[in-house]
Each structure stands twice: as C-alpha cells, then as structure tokens.
Amino acid sequence: MAAKTLMVQGTTSDAGKTTLVAALCRIYAKQGLKVAPFKPQNMALNSAVTACGGEIGRAQAVQAQAAKVELSVDFNPILLKPQSDKNAQVIIHGKVFSSMDAQDYHDYKTIAKQAVFASHQRLEQSFQRIIVEGAGSPAEINLRAGDIANMGFAEQADCPVIIIADIDKGGVFAHLVGTLALLSETEQARVVGFVINRFRGDIKLLESGLTWLEERTQKPVLGVIPYIHGLHIAAEDAVSEQQQVTQAKLKVIVPVTPRMSNHNDFDALRVHHEIDFQFIYASELKATTLPPADLIILAGSKNTRADVAFLKQQGWDQQIQKHLRYGGKVFGICGGYQMLGQTIADPFGIEGDKGETSGLNILPMSTVLSADKTLKNQQGTLTLAGKNITVQGYEIHLGITEHFSAMTPLLSINNQTQGAISEDGQVAGCYLHGVFDQADAIDTLALWCGASLQNSQNLEEIQEQAIEKLAYVCQAHMDIDKLEHILQQWRNS
C-alpha cells in the first residue's frame, strides 16, 4: 500500500514549515510508522551529505533525524544553491547538474518535475507516511507557472495540505485568508486546515479570531503552537538568532558574507553557555568594525572569490591581520579555509566569472576550483592544542588546495592529511564541515584559544533534545487525531 502523503505549506518564508515537518516526522515515528521527510525543491546554502555521496538540504537531514531514518537524496530531489543574485547551482538527486540563471531554470522546471516525482514514487513504495515541506509561499503569483515546490506538487500528487502562519510577526489572519484567496478552487479544496505558529500570551484572547477564521474559510484550525523558547534546531538557511551569554569564557565571531554557506557548522558553538558567539553583519550605512574576540572563524562559501572580495571591501582583511598581531586565533572552514591562502582561481567559471582572486595571504597556499565536487562523510583525527580528537563531519567543496611550504596538518583522514596549522600556531583551517559538532572538539578549540570549557555537548544531542521538545509541544497543541482522520479519508488519485 502506497504511503499517505501530507504537505505543509506556509504563508511566508520562516513561517515554521521546517520545524512542523520535523515535529510530525518524530510524532509519526514514535507511533511506529516509517516516515520520510520530503522537500521537492529547496533553495538553500546549508546542505548535508548522504551515505551514497549525494547532497541534500540541511533541513531535510534534521527532519530525517526526527523521522529516525538514514539520509536519502530522494528526500530533496532538487537543491538550488545560489552563487549570485541571478545564478544558482542546480543539484538533482544529490549531484551537480548545472549552473543556471532564474529564467533558464524556470524553463527547465518541466524536466526537473520528472526528478521530483520519481523520488516521490520511490518513497511511496518504502514508507507509510511522507511529510512534504513546501517552499516560501504557495501564493507567489509570478512563480505559479510550472510550480513544483508548492501547489504544483500537491495537485499532481493529489495530497492534502496544511497551511502554517507565524503569528509572532503580526497579520496572521490576513496571511491565512489572503493566501487561501489567491489559490485556485481545486487548490483551496485540498487545504485541510491551518496551524498558527509562535503564539505568545493567553489563548482565550485568540479564540474569537480562530472562530472567525474557521467560519470565514470553512477550514479547521488544527493547532496553535506556542512560542518555544530556547529551541535549538538547525535553520534551513536563515542565520539563527543569537544566544545571550552572561559568563562567557570564549568570544567567537563569524563575519557574514553574502554567499556564506553551512553556517550550521557553528550551531554547537552558538548555543554553548560559556561561549559568546556572534555573527557580524556589514552595515550598508557605515563602516563595520569587527569587535574584539578570541577567535575569528571564516565560514564556507558558495562563491569564495566574491566573498573574499567582500571581506576586503569592508576592510575586514586588515582587521583580521590586526587581530592576529594582538594574539588572536583564526580558523577557516571549507571556503573560509581557501580564503586564508594567497590566491583562489576559477579557470572554468564554476562559481562565477572566470579568473583569479587574491586571498587573505595568511597561509602559504593557493586553491584552484574544478568542476568535480567532493561529497563525502568523513571520520578522522583532529590534532590541535596538543590533543588528538576523533571527529566526524562531511566535505562539500570544489577545488584543490596546494601548500607552498610544509605546514602542520590539522586532520588525518583515512591515513591522509588535510588542512593546516600555521607555523606560529595562530591560524588553522580545513575542508571538514561539522568539525566542531563534537563536544571534545569544542573543548579542544577552546584550549587552542586559551580557554577551558565545561559541559560541552555534541550537536546531535542538542538536536535530539530540540526535536523531542518540538514534537512534545506540537502533539500537545495540535489535533493529531483530526489530522490522522483527514489523512485516512483522503483519497489519493
């Protein structure tokens, strides 16, 4: 028997689609059902690597953890990774297909749809529930033609749809009624209910509005989910809000660049109660100075040459040099590691225009980007601060980095060295994402910076606690029985 498919769409981006899908995946998994997350088309710079070496959105990896299943490229058949404001790398079933501008991809959607439904059909044969996450809003009029991310998928798959809205931003009734009104009659008919997210206050004050909404739309409100404080779950793409720390032993900053990717590398650092962690944004109105810190981390990038040029435009390259002169530490991950070198060359125009860009010239090395993308889950040994720590992570990168002089390697993976530590011990970097997802590695990083931490946690444990809390709250505040009745009564074509 084919799986029951349920789709979650949102009135806006960041309405709560990702977290609701994760919650439902865990709720159904705890009921003993085999459940799969699914996002037909995802535009995100945070990604994960499957066991077969495919690339999918990071949010689907967290949802798979919630569902207690191994990662599959079928969970996210189309992944778009923006390289500029007009161009994106198109990844199909985990592998790079091409780079396209918006118009080219719009024309290509009819072919991309085949990949989407091939994945959905495979999941139907292997799972009992498929919980689908939409993208953005289904009411984007300019994107309706050839849509495969929202109602275009739901119509062809003939699945029921829940619409979720964020009340914390205001205008929740206008968002829900307006979104419904902009759908076609057949699309409206498959909307089986609403969920209101991030509610604060006395629910009695909202009840008259809920009654009005149900009478106006003839659709039930399936739940009002309260604002969950301290929920540390991976964001799909938006940078998460800052953690407030009162007794910090370590100050870490990450300069934010336009094409920063995989900022989830910092999730375990960001929520640590002894680490003052900050993302630093450049102001468009005035020069932005990097604040004093023990450690500056340069993140990954989907367009490394453009992002290192951005760092220089802000004057942050000079501020990083000053930081080093005063004894601070610098760590680069993936694209950030490439930035530490002398040059970054893109002879084939893989990430943008062909050419070569000067790096920060901190480490004696250079990088050449190539068409072949490295996609691997890895386990190795991190050597830092006199410690040898076992770490796990994943590589997602283009290019080969060549060292011009002997440097101490940072990692040993499969009896091969990777990354580097500068001669003075102040600068380090590597290609391994997730290197600081482990508690031992966090403690070692702190020791390298002259600090000693306590009670560090593995990111997987942090995520697991968040998923359990999310599922508990959603089950308590949603009518799961009514939702199950709707699913059982829905007749798939």
Side-chain angles (χ1 to χ4, degrees):
M1 184 176 178
K4 295 286 186 180
T5 297
L6 172 69
M7 189 168 197
V8 176
Q9 298 181 12
T11 57
T12 61
S13 294
D14 198 34
K17 298 183 294 292
T18 300
T19 51
L20 181 55
V21 169
L24 291 173
C25 282
R26 177 52 59 91
I27 289 168
Y28 285 127
K30 292 179 81 169
Q31 291 178 359
L33 296 172
K34 191 175 182 184
V35 56
F38 185 65
K39 184 150 186 170
Q41 175 185 288
N42 193 354
M43 179 174 283
L45 288 173
N46 288 342
S47 55
V49 179
T50 67
C52 68
E55 188 174 3
I56 64 173
R58 170 58 49 179
Q60 281 62 67
V62 176
Q63 291 162 353
Q65 180 181 346
K68 301 183 178 182
V69 293
E70 295 295 322
L71 301 190
S72 167
V73 295
D74 284 331
F75 295 163
N76 178 205
I78 306 292
L79 176 61
L80 307 177
K81 302 187 78 171
Q83 296 171 305
S84 69
D85 290 342
K86 297 181 179 179
N87 186 274
Q89 185 181 76
V90 180
I91 296 167
I92 299 178
H93 288 148
K95 300 298 182 184
V96 175
F97 175 75
S98 179
S99 290
M100 298 184 184
D101 62 26
Q103 185 58 55
D104 287 342
Y105 180 69
H106 182 75
D107 295 339
Y108 182 77
K109 277 185 181 178
T110 54
I111 300 175
K113 182 183 287 188
Q114 297 174 14
V116 167
F117 282 97
S119 286
H120 183 251
Q121 288 167 9
R122 283 193 289 269
L123 295 179
E124 281 188 309
Q125 301 308 311
S126 302
F127 292 87
Q128 296 167 290
R129 291 283 185 278
I130 302 172
I131 312 300
V132 187
E133 179 184 345
S137 163
E140 303 289 357
I141 304 303
N142 57 311
L143 299 178
R144 296 295 298 279
D147 170 58
I148 57 175
N150 288 300
M151 282 299 178
F153 171 83
E155 289 274 74
Q156 186 164 332
D158 190 20
C159 65
V161 173
I162 296 173
I163 297 180
I164 186 171
D166 180 4
I167 196 172
D168 193 52
K169 294 183 175 67
V172 69
F173 297 111
H175 283 170
L176 288 169
V177 173
T179 298
L180 192 67
L182 290 172
L183 303 178
S184 71
E185 288 187 9
T186 58
E187 292 168 347
Q188 290 176 3
R190 71 179 58 258
V191 175
V192 296
F194 303 122
V195 172
I196 293 176
N197 191 27
R198 300 190 182 109
F199 176 73
R200 307 176 194 244
D202 187 346
I203 190 67
K204 293 180 180 179
L205 298 177
L206 186 63
E207 287 175 351
S208 62
L210 301 181
T211 300
W212 174 89
L213 179 63
E214 291 185 335
E215 291 177 349
R216 171 69 180 256
T217 64
Q218 296 299 297
K219 309 284 185 185
V221 175
L222 294 170
V224 177
I225 301 172
Y227 196 105
I228 306 174
H229 295 277
L231 183 67
H232 304 307
I233 194 165
E236 180 171 65
D237 214 22
V239 176
S240 302
E241 61 187 45
Q242 305 294 152
Q243 168 99 332
Q244 297 299 316
V245 179
T246 56
Q247 299 292 327
K249 294 182 179 179
L250 181 67
K251 170 74 173 182
V252 180
I253 63 172
V254 175
V256 176
T257 55
R259 299 300 165 198
M260 181 175 74
S261 65
N262 286 76
H263 59 70
N264 51 281
D265 280 332
F266 315 120
D267 283 355
L269 302 176
R270 183 178 57 80
V271 303
H272 198 294
H273 68 286
E274 293 179 309
I275 298 178
D276 181 359
F277 184 95
Q278 274 188 281
F279 287 108
I280 306 301
Y281 294 85
S283 170
E284 296 182 1
L285 302 178
K286 61 180 181 180
T288 302
T289 301
L290 298 179
D294 301 302
L295 172 65
I296 296 174
I297 304 181
L298 300 180
S301 170
K302 198 65 199 74
N303 192 326
T304 308
R305 291 173 59 217
D307 275 355
V308 77
F310 178 84
L311 288 175
K312 294 177 181 179
Q313 289 167 7
Q314 311 310 312
W316 288 348
D317 57 331
Q318 298 301 316
Q319 293 172 45
I320 290 171
Q321 293 286 357
K322 180 180 178 181
H323 166 82
L324 289 170
R325 288 196 299 272
Y326 279 81
K329 298 292 199 297
V330 173
F331 198 102
I333 300 177
C334 199
Y337 171 51
Q338 295 173 344
M339 294 178 197
L340 296 172
Q342 296 175 4
T343 59
I344 303 145
D346 189 355
F348 305 106
I350 302 298
E351 291 189 343
D353 295 334
K354 297 179 182 179
E356 183 176 284
T357 298
S358 297
L360 298 177
N361 201 23
I362 296 174
L363 294 179
M365 63 186 200
S366 287
T367 299
V368 178
L369 303 183
S370 63
D372 294 330
K373 186 179 235 185
T374 298
L375 290 163
K376 293 180 181 178
N377 288 307
Q378 302 278 32
Q379 178 173 312
T381 301
L382 169 72
T383 301
L384 192 65
K387 303 284 186 179
N388 293 311
I389 303 298
T390 299
V391 293
Q392 294 180 328
Y394 55 99
E395 291 184 48
I396 302 178
H397 65 89
L398 298 163
I400 298 172
T401 297
E402 178 186 359
H403 296 168
F404 296 145
S405 61
M407 286 187 287
T408 302
L410 183 69
L411 292 165
S412 174
I413 299 174
N414 297 324
N415 296 318
Q416 294 186 337
T417 60
Q418 192 203 104
I421 306 171
S422 64
E423 188 175 346
D424 61 10
Q426 285 185 256
V427 182
C430 63
Y431 276 115
L432 192 67
H433 290 285
V435 66
F436 299 121
D437 288 354
Q438 289 97 158
D440 287 347
I442 295 171
D443 292 341
T444 301
L445 178 71
L447 285 175
W448 182 54
C449 297
S452 178
L453 303 181
Q454 296 179 341
N455 302 319
S456 299
Q457 280 188 286
N458 295 334
L459 181 61
E460 186 174 359
E461 295 172 0
I462 297 169
Q463 291 281 147
E464 186 63 24
Q465 291 167 4
I467 290 167
E468 279 291 312
K469 182 177 182 179
L470 178 65
Y472 174 81
V473 171
C474 287
Q475 186 149 26
H477 293 273
M478 286 183 64
D479 194 337
I480 299 297
D481 290 338
K482 179 181 285 189
L483 180 59
E484 180 62 21
H485 178 74
I486 291 169
L487 273 175
Q488 292 298 335
Q489 294 300 312
W490 192 270
R491 300 174 68 178
N492 290 319
S493 58

